[in-house]
Amino acid sequence: MIESEWQQVAINESAGEQPWLILPLERWRLLSAQTRRRTDLAVWLDSHEAVESIVDDLQTLPLVGLNFPVFTDGRPFSSAWLLRTRYGFQGEIRALGDVRYDLLEQMYRTGFNTFSISDEQVLEKAASTSLYFSDYYQATG
Amino acid sequence: MYNYSPKDQRLVEERAVQFQDQTRRFLEKEISDEEYQQLRLRNGLYIQKHAPMLRVAIPYGLVSSKQLRKLAEIARRYDKGYGHFTTRQNIQFNWPAIEDVPAILTELAAVQMHAIQSSGSCIRNVTADQFAGVARDEIEDPRPWAELIRQWSTFHPEFNWLPRKFKIALSGAEEDRAATIVHDIGIRLVYKDKSRTEIGFAISVGGGLGRTPVIGSLIKPYLEKKHLLSYLEAILRTYNRFGRRDNKYKARIKILVRAMTPQVFAQKVEDEWQAILTSEETNNTDALKSIVSRFTKPLYKNLDKDIPHDTMRIADSKGFGQWLSQNTLPHKQPGYRIVNISLKPTGQAPGDVSDGQLDFLANLAEDYSFGEARITHEQNICLADVESSRLRQLWEILDSQGMATPNLGLLTDIICCPGGDYCSLANAKSIPVARAIQQRFPEAGRLNDLGNIRLNISGCMNACAHHHVGNIGILGVDKKGAEYYQVSIGGSSKNLSRLGRILGPSFSQEDIPAVIDTLVSLYETSRLENESFLDTFDRIGVQPFKDAVYGDMP
């Protein structure tokens, strides 16, 4: 559990190109190829945005954020899985948005490895408990 | 039976602990109603009209004597002494207290049962042919494949938050007794070609009932066995990524398939599947082998041949004869028969069983059928492996308990949802309608003469009782606050699956028995020799039925 240096930029939020920003896809696309290779800039995808749109940048991207607009929207699980297994992305995959405690294990299993949590209660619970399951029927991403 | 591996066992135990934690946090108000709703639904727990309802999974309908006794105990201790078998081979308890549910799960886990994914927008309990392994027309037993799918879909990390619920059914026989074509995915074991040497799968997708009934589209006529899970993964990923989430009435896969067209959807799945094949280890052959080794096989006696059916009938009473010809079926093993126990005696809610009946059935299964029973889609119970020479004895015991109703497949073997008496989704009651129809046809003679007529009653558009595919379907509708019933005819869930035609304006509850009587009377007077209800309907069309029912109306 850490205070993250990365900061998510919302769709209509203004931001420069200062370090440690996670930019929305629209903004990311406007950056030059050279800027996109900076190791202190990252991109986040909303649940309807396809991972295929960033495959060319995966070699150098340090982090990909995947947004859960609501916790019942399961599309980011497929995005994470594809990033790991199909496109071999080794960097950080961060869960953003409506991140609930009871879905953390499932997120981890599809390839997420960091989770943006602001709710104190959820943070506390996440820090003090372990996984519910000792084994799975499926591979982990 | 499939016997759990240590891993299977651990997972259901850990699930009970997880649910206990989730429920505790809900009761202590750490999580909201909205969040707990999603969590409890993925464990089959609904909040209903009068009380919560817990739906326990019975994978592919197979249940042991030990499990039946546990269900009886749960009905006694935590419910009002009964349970309800559903059209998806599950059992529902209508009166448990929320705070008791974790304890119920722990009890279920002790007999290798669970309520995992029996509701919610996820892959539901997998269903299969109730006569799997014993049917004479079987190509291959689908149960090991059903178990493979059960395991693969259990807590699948990617597919537990789909746009909407997702149902998979399997059949391994010539006749499709699992109604695969009206499921989100229907899987049939088929021969590759006329040489009948290689067996694989035919996969259909996008079937479903509910408010937009659709017959599924065959998107893969032949799939090699080793690719089953990778192909399912491709379908589910395509659905999870591209299915609609903006409107829950348009979120089922059938809507996506229709919007894309089946051809385009099939191609999209094919592309995804090819990509999976190159990046993941996907052969499911080893997993299947280990599953097969965990299934017990009935130790059949070496009986020379069947006792001729006719001899058994002549030798015995009329009641036995009727039951024998109506409720039992030929078995692939010589000297054995498949016995069906109707849970549709007149006056009892279709599919309901008491704790005493569950215990009684557990004993019968143990004494007559290798300790196993099956729950059928028609909400009856099947003892699949009964020695022909013991049928008379079994019938006497059943008859003494009022469980030998010889109406399997007949008009009074009504498929019925819990309806407005229990379900908060329902527009209208369904159980009293079923009872009134049963009371209208008291004579076994006429019922037998009418022959097999499938009648389904759903209390609302969600179509839990599959009224669209009933030969006669009844749907509860709300007409300005009053309960009315729409009648359709000509549906079928068999191989030539199709949806019924709506007759016309709906009827009041009191009118329904007479309407049904009018419909079957027309069939009686119009049929040619040996013609089924469906055949007669096909020959004369819907109009004569409309005229008979509405003729006198202004």
Side-chain angles (χ1 to χ4, degrees), chain B residues 499-549:
Chain B
L499 308 171
R501 299 264 310 266
I502 295 166
L503 271 184
S506 51
F507 306 95
S508 70
Q509 188 177 324
E510 304 80 72
D511 289 342
I512 285 288
V515 168
I516 302 305
D517 204 335
T518 305
L519 293 175
V520 300
S521 297
L522 179 68
Y523 159 61
E524 276 173 314
T525 53
S526 310
R527 67 180 162 188
L528 305 176
E529 205 183 346
N530 293 330
E531 207 175 40
S532 69
F533 181 84
L534 219 48
D535 290 341
T536 301
F537 171 78
D538 284 345
R539 185 171 50 78
I540 68 176
V542 73
Q543 197 56 46
F545 289 95
K546 284 187 177 181
D547 293 344
V549 170

Side-chain angles (χ1 to χ4, degrees), chain B residues 420-445:
Chain B
D421 290 308
Y422 297 101
C423 179
S424 37
L425 302 172
N427 290 322
K429 294 188 176 66
S430 50
I431 294 168
V433 178
R435 187 177 303 138
I437 294 169
Q438 288 174 331
Q439 283 162 350
R440 178 90 182 192
F441 297 87
E443 298 159 52

